[in-house]
């Protein structure tokens, strides 16, 4: 059994709006092992960011409200930590990078100072040492001429470089978990490749666990060891990357994988999932995916499915897994490799 | 009847930012599109692909060059002729949130073109046409009286498509029309675009940064870098046999939904970032990041040349066969 | 298999043809932009208090002079400088005129000057700012430089010069305000139009062949309206204050027509003996201004698209 850094149990999180309660997260259970990369995948509004932000307690109450559930960090229950207690954890034990680095950097402060202040908040070292550490960190994230860059302002960097600065800031205190919320969505492909490579390298070097939140299955394939697929505020399928990609068991996962045009094919019609995700203002009583599911059964509209555990921690929330249900072969991705490289880490 | 439905010849679009500062957004771009085809234009942000689209549809005036549509010089059209042109060429925009007027109902948004061109004689015909358009793009009649903010991104994009279709265009510029959407919705919209193309005999200029999507939808593809087309060929030829070092790097950088493959292939990372398009030197614009760059690349600019098989490349390495 | 109840009826697993259209149904209640703004405005207590006071003052201004037995000019020299009583709720002035009526007739003048003095320059500002922003280039440059130059000199100086030139009175004041007050609005409208012009929905309308008039009146102006309405509301107290100030120094509304500023001017001469004659119009000016400001604040919050949920 690997050491679990973070564990979320049956988390429910809602937003109170004028029209009523929006059930953004409706019973999410997740865990993150030490040193692994977990990808939380889903479409916008599926609750993937809210889940992570509620762990970090970044959502103000109101409108946000943690209804129930438990969050454990290194075995400690942090569910009801105050903002003050969280401040001790944030940046030091767990940190986060966002899609748009410009909004999370202070535009009027030199980036070096921003990094150094992060260190000084958590560690009792001299300002000089902090500066040294910040420069080292800038070098580590591949910023050329770190001494000079230390004295620059955020707007003097390009998007990719800013994301590097953000990563430097996030990792300078050696946190155990790094949450990356769509870290490359705003970037170009070539820059995205650089940033993903950097996150992978630093993860190996520092032993940090990474939780990457994304809608891009390509990014997931490149980075993640384990995957949790979310839909309408719930995890619908979770397991090792290979199991999810090549052998999906949930119709949503399968549909998602199929709807991506892949390199080889030139066929003109993509398998798409019809319809749109439900409005979480009034979530359906059965399986949330049922209205869009081509395998939908009567029971799916009546009762939400429970987890079915398969091997290697692969678990699926779908009535098709029920012994009485008809069996289908759900299409997944086919590996382009003829002899798949079966290394243990996959 | 012209040879090609759309022909772009030596198009240039510069933006003057200040004294002696000229942003070369589009710098000598030429290509053509035949009727019923889809032409893909790919590149990273800031490469000028959106400007190409907007200049073709005359949202911008061209600084130099010509856009011939159906034999007419688009930038010389006036009055009635121009209005006729706006019926024939339409555009679908990137941002499903910004592209619909927040103060108008979906019906009014779709009906705008009908009103401008007076395409409906009676009030009833107008409403019927709006219902018809809503159904064509997979929405329902009840949606006509709703406001844009009540819709999801994919639904809004459908409204945008319906607005473009209202005037029965022949040619549609899809400017990053699906990049702001979720994966499962992207597939819906791609399928819708393909279906409409067959049904209504449309021609597309498909501008995108997602290589897999462009590969899926286009017949021909051009890759842009810093305002210029650096490689252009029939889509399969381009993707199976990329020549320009930039195209090769771009393909290597794009992640695929295949973990085994992703983990086994070497990630040749292109170093650096796209340089500034302000006052670029007359050299190969990719030379600053190119692993094969030689002295010649930093002294002259290569031209886009056919190297056989209708495969055009602007690279000295390929044209001169450097090893 | 864990936790799944085994004893399910057989037909539970019969295939259902899930209609994809079902998931396209919008479940949230339909709400238009203005309805939503109104809802948020009504929920704002402070703004509602402001609005109530404005309504009460307006009602009094309309009805008191109609139903009162006194007229605002009728003098009664046997009953001068009377203290407030049931007969004369605000007392009488040094000519024996009923102050209750005079104050509400003054309210008519002050409110009218305030509202027209804010709305008319507002409209001029929208038109000029809209032209400047929409056409850009040289037109924009000329208009903006003109505004820059004119704004170098304080407004009040222009107003004083204009009132000296065309005389005093409510109409003259509104003209003076209209000629000087449009510039701020023009600037902010221009800024908004410049931004909106590049929005994709405007571009879309252009590709559909829309004329300039369609673009301006169908897309650009409606989308600036919210902010313009707020700035006009906030302009009302400013205009009321300017009117009061000018009348107070004798340049605005000339006797015998009363206005709050002019009543305060009259009151100041007898302030030591009969302070109520100054305090009543002064308090009314303050309360009205405050109410408009509170209401304007609420309106701004209600119309701010960023606060929408």
């Amino acid at each position: 059994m690997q050491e679990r850094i973070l564990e979320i149990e049956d988390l429910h999180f809602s937003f109170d709006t004028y029209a009523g309660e929006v059930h953004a997260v409706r019973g999410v259970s997740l865990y993150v092992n030490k040193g692994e990369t977990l990808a939380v995948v889903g479409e916008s509004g599926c609750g993937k960011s809210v889940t992570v932000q509620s762990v970090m307690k970044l959502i103000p109450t109101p409108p946000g409200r943690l209804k129930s559930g438990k969050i454990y960090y290194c075995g400690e229950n942090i569910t009801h930590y105050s903002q003050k207690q969280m401040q001790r954890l944030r940046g030091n034990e767990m940190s986060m990078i966002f899609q748009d680095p410009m909004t999370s950097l202070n535009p009027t402060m030199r980036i070096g100072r921003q990094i150094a202040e992060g260190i000084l908040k958590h560690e009792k070292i001299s300002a000089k040492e902090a500066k040294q550490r910040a420069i080292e960190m800038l070098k580590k994230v591949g910023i050329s001429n770190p001494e000079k860059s230390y004295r620059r302002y955020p707007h003097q960097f390009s998007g990719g470089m800013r994301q590097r600065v953000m990563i430097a800031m996030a990792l300078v205190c050696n946190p155990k978990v790094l949450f990356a919320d769509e870290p490359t969505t705003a970037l170009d492909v070539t820059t995205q490749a650089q940033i993903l490579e950097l996150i992978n390298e630093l993860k190996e070097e520092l032993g940090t666990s990474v939780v990457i939140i994304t809608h891009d299955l390509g990014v997931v394939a490149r980075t993640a060891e384990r995957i949790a697929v979310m839909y309408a505020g719930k995890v619908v399928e979770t397991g090792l990357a290979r199991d999810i990609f090549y052998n999906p068991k949930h119709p949503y996962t399968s549909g998602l994988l199929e709807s991506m045009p892949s390199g080889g094919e030139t066929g003109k019609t993509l398998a798409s999932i019809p319809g749109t995700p439900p409005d979480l203002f009034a979530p359906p009583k059965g399986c949330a995916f049922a209205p869009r599911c081509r395998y939908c059964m009567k029971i799916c509209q009546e009762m939400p499915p429970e987890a079915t555990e398969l091997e290697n921690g692969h678990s699926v929330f779908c009535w098709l897994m029920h012994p009485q249900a008809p069996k289908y072969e759900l299409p997944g991705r086919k590996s382009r490799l003829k002899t798949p490289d079966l290394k243990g880490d996959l | 009847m012209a040879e090609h439905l759309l022909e772009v010849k030596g198009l240039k679009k510069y933006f003057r930012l200040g004294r002696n500062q000229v942003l070369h957004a589009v710098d000598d771009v030429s290509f053509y599109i035949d009727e019923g085809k889809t032409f893909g234009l790919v590149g990273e942000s800031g490469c000028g692909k959106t400007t190409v689209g907007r200049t073709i549809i005359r949202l911008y005036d061209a600084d130099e060059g010509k856009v011939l549509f159906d034999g007419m010089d688009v930038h010389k059209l006036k009055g009635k002729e121009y209005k006729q042109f706006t019926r024939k060429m339409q555009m679908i925009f990137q941002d499903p949130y910004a592209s619909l007027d927040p103060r108008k109902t979906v019906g009014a948004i779709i009906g705008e073109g009908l009103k401008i061109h007076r395409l409906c004689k009676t009030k009833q015909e107008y409403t019927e046409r709006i219902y018809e358009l809503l159904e064509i793009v997979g929405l329902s009649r009840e949606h006509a009286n709703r406001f844009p903010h009540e819709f999801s991104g994919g639904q809004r994009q459908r409204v945008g498509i319906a607005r473009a279709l209202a005037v029965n265009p022949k040619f549609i510029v899809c400017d990053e029309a699906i990049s702001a959407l979720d994966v499962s919705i992207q597939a819906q919209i791609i399928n819708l675009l393909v279906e409409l193309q067959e049904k209504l005999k449309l021609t597309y200029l498909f501008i995108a940064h997602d290589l897999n999507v462009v590969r899926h939808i286009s017949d021909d593809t051009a890759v842009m870098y810093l305002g210029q087309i650096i490689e252009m060929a029939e889509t399969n030829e381009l993707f199976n046999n990329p020549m320009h070092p930039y195209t090769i790097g771009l393909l290597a950088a794009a992640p695929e939904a295949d973990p085994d493959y992703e983990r086994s292939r070497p990630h040749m990372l292109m170093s650096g970032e796209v340089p500034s398009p302000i006052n670029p030197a007359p050299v190969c614009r990719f030379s600053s990041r190119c692993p094969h760059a030689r002295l010649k690349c930093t002294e002259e600019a290569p031209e886009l040349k056919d190297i056989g098989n209708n495969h055009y490349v602007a690279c000295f390495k390929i044209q001169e066969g450097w090893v | 298999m864990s936790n799944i109840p085994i004893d399910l009826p057989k037909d539970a697993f019969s295939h259902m043809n899930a209609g994809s259209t079902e998931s396209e149904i919008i479940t949230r209640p339909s709400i238009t932009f203005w309805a939503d703004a109104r809802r948020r405005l009504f929920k704002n207590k402070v703004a509602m208090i402001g609005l109530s006071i404005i309504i009460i003052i307006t009602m009094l201004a309309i009805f008191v002079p109609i139903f009162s037995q006194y007229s605002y000019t009728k003098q009664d020299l046997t009953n001068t400088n009377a203290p407030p009583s049931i007969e004369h709720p605000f007392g009488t002035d040094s000519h024996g005129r009923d102050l209750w009526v005079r104050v509400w007739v003054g309210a008519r003048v002050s409110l009218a000057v305030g509202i027209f003095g804010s709305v008319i320059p507002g409209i001029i500002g929208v038109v000029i700012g809209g032209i400047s922003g929409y056409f850009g280039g040289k037109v924009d440059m000329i208009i903006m430089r003109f505004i820059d130059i004119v704004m170098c000199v304080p407004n009040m100086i222009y107003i004083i010069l204009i009132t000296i030139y065309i005389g005093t009175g409510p109409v003259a004041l509104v003209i003076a305000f209209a000629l000087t007050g449009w510039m701020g609005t023009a600037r902010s409208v221009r800024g908004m139009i410049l931004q909106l012009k590049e929005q994709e929905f405007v571009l879309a309308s252009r590709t559909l062949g829309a004329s300039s008039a369609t673009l301006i009146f169908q897309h650009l102006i409606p989308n600036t309206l919210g902010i313009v309405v707020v700035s006009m509301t906030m302009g009302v107290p400013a205009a009321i204050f300017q009117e009061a100030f000018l009348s107070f120094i004798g340049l605005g509304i000339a006797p015998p027509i009363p206005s709050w500023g002019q009543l305060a001017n009259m009151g100041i001469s007898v302030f030591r003996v009969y302070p109520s004659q100054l305090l009543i119009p002064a308090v009314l000016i303050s309360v009205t201004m405050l109410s408009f400001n509170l209401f304007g604040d609420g309106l701004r919050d209600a119309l701010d698209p960023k606060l929408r949920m």
Side-chain angles (χ1 to χ4, degrees), chain C residues 142-162:
Chain C
I142 292 167
I143 293 176
M144 283 304 118
R145 288 305 84 77
F146 175 77
I147 292 179
D148 287 343
I149 293 165
V150 173
M151 278 180 108
C152 289
V153 182
N155 258 358
M156 205 44 100
I157 293 180
Y158 293 116
I159 295 172
I160 291 169
L161 287 175
I162 292 167

Side-chain angles (χ1 to χ4, degrees), chain A residues 43-44 158-161 188-194 197 215-225 241-242 245-246 256-257 259-277 292 333-337 340-341 345-346, chain B residues 38 43-46 152 154-155 158 179 181-188 190-191 194 197-198 209-213 215-219 236 246 249-265 267 269-274 289:
Chain A
E43 301 178 274
S44 48
S158 67
M161 285 296 150
D188 280 318
V189 222
T190 54
T191 322
Q192 162 172 296
Q194 294 167 3
E197 195 71 14
H215 66 275
D216 187 331
L217 292 165
V219 170
V220 176
R222 188 166 285 188
T223 54
E225 280 137 17
R242 296 199 57 211
F245 273 96
Y246 303 134
L256 209 56
L257 290 167
S259 60
M260 262 190 98
S262 73
E265 56 151 325
T266 39
K268 281 273 176 177
T269 315
L270 287 171
S272 72
I273 309 174
T276 34
R292 299 175 73 190
R333 301 297 279 201
K334 298 245 161 14
S335 180
R336 283 228 258 167
L337 299 182
D341 176 17
D345 66 331
L346 290 166
Chain B
T38 301
E44 299 181 273
S45 53
S152 67
Q155 290 171 324
R158 287 172 191 269
S179 41
L181 305 174
D182 279 317
V183 191
S184 74
I185 311 295
Q186 275 191 3
Q188 289 176 11
I190 293 173
N191 286 343
V194 172
Q197 177 164 43
E198 279 160 15
H209 65 265
D210 188 326
L211 294 161
N212 285 329
V213 170
R215 183 176 194 173
H216 179 85
I217 202 169
S218 334
D219 298 297
N236 277 328
Y246 176 67
L250 207 57
L251 285 170
E256 278 193 39
D258 183 347
D260 281 350
Y261 174 66
E262 277 299 327
R263 239 148 272 204
S264 63
R265 70 166 167 169
H267 293 147
L269 291 184
M270 222 183 303
S271 59
E273 289 185 42
V274 186
R289 298 171 75 188

Side-chain angles (χ1 to χ4, degrees), chain B residues 54 57 59 86 90 93-95 98-104 112 116-117 143 146-147 149-150 155 163, chain C residues 24 26 28-34 199-201 203-210 218-219 222-223 308:
Chain B
R54 290 186 176 180
I57 202 167
L59 282 173
T86 61
Q90 272 301 306
F93 292 86
Q94 168 172 16
D95 187 344
S99 61
L100 306 180
D101 190 334
R103 303 290 160 89
K104 288 199 156 43
E112 188 175 359
I116 290 171
H117 294 283
H143 291 137
R146 297 259 178 179
F147 284 82
H149 70 260
E150 300 174 54
Q155 290 171 324
R163 169 176 59 194
Chain C
E24 300 278 0
I26 299 172
R28 285 188 199 220
S30 173
I31 190 160
T32 69
F33 178 84
W34 292 106
Q199 292 266 315
E200 286 184 343
F201 70 85
L203 295 182
S205 187
R206 274 176 63 195
T207 64
L208 281 168
Q218 293 282 315
H219 294 293
N223 277 287
R308 306 198 74 194

Side-chain angles (χ1 to χ4, degrees), chain C residues 238-296:
Chain C
I240 290 177
F241 181 78
Q242 279 188 333
E243 178 274 319
F245 172 76
L246 287 167
S247 305
F248 186 74
I249 61 172
L251 283 168
I253 311 291
I257 309 171
S259 83
W260 287 341
Q262 203 239 325
L263 288 169
N265 181 22
M266 306 282 279
I268 196 108
S269 51
V270 292
F271 176 58
R272 291 191 174 207
V273 202
Y274 312 107
S276 69
Q277 290 191 26
L278 172 63
L279 288 178
I280 289 166
V283 166
L284 277 170
I285 292 169
S286 312
V287 169
T288 311
M289 281 178 65
L290 183 67
S291 305
F292 270 105
N293 277 325
L294 295 178
F295 179 65

Side-chain angles (χ1 to χ4, degrees), chain C residues 129-140 193-194 197 212-213 216 220:
Chain C
I131 291 170
S132 183
Y134 181 77
F135 291 101
K138 277 206 181 107
V139 181
D140 181 40
I193 298 279
L194 281 180
K197 223 169 55 165
S212 292
I216 294 177
L220 298 174

Side-chain angles (χ1 to χ4, degrees), chain A residues 75-304:
Chain A
E76 201 182 329
N77 187 342
I78 61 162
T79 321
H80 299 293
Y81 264 31
S82 65
Q83 283 296 329
K84 209 168 190 177
Q85 283 171 302
M86 281 311 291
Q87 264 168 22
R88 228 183 50 230
L89 291 184
R90 281 197 293 250
N92 195 22
E93 301 282 334
M94 43 173 92
S95 52
M96 190 154 180
I97 53 177
F98 297 90
Q99 177 175 343
D100 181 5
M102 201 56 197
T103 54
S104 24
L105 289 167
N106 181 346
T108 62
M109 205 163 147
R110 295 178 203 276
I111 59 134
R113 237 187 93 199
Q114 296 191 43
I115 300 175
E117 281 202 349
I119 311 173
L120 290 171
K121 211 186 282 169
H122 296 291
E123 291 173 36
K124 287 202 175 71
I125 53 172
S126 71
K128 214 172 166 189
E129 277 174 293
K131 183 178 175 181
Q132 211 45 53
R133 280 263 298 278
I135 289 174
E136 253 169 58
M137 200 63 218
L138 284 174
K139 204 159 141 194
K140 235 183 224 169
V141 296
I143 292 201
S144 54
N145 209 342
E147 281 87 3
K148 221 174 178 178
S149 302
Y150 184 90
R151 297 190 52 75
R152 289 210 179 147
Y153 291 96
H155 68 265
Q156 291 171 299
F157 292 89
S158 67
M161 285 296 150
R162 258 183 239 140
Q163 199 56 285
R164 283 170 193 267
V165 170
M166 274 307 297
I167 293 172
M169 233 163 115
L171 292 181
V172 74
C173 287
N174 266 327
K176 293 206 178 77
V177 196
L178 173 70
F179 294 106
D181 190 352
E182 304 269 5
T184 58
T185 308
L187 305 174
D188 280 318
V189 222
T190 54
T191 322
Q192 162 172 296
Q194 294 167 3
I195 296 291
L196 293 179
E197 195 71 14
L198 176 72
I199 293 178
N200 266 347
E201 272 169 26
L202 289 174
K203 184 199 98 176
E204 294 297 325
E205 195 184 324
L206 306 171
T208 316
S209 308
V210 178
V211 179
I212 191 160
I213 301 165
T214 181
H215 66 275
D216 187 331
L217 292 165
V219 170
V220 176
R222 188 166 285 188
T223 54
E225 280 137 17
R226 270 191 327 115
I227 298 174
V229 183
M230 282 187 71
Y231 185 78
K234 284 187 172 184
V235 172
V236 294
E237 184 167 8
T238 170
L240 298 180
R242 296 199 57 211
D243 287 332
I244 300 286
F245 273 96
Y246 303 134
N247 191 17
K249 290 291 176 209
H250 196 286
Y252 176 64
T253 317
S254 165
L256 209 56
L257 290 167
E258 272 209 299
S259 60
M260 262 190 98
S262 73
E265 56 151 325
T266 39
K268 281 273 176 177
T269 315
L270 287 171
S272 72
I273 309 174
T276 34
D279 195 336
L280 291 178
F281 160 71
K285 72 173 170 177
C287 168
F289 187 60
R292 299 175 73 190
C293 182
R294 89 178 88 145
Y295 307 102
C296 176
M297 299 174 293
K298 198 174 172 195
I299 181 90
C300 303
Q301 296 171 338
E302 304 294 328
M303 267 169 92

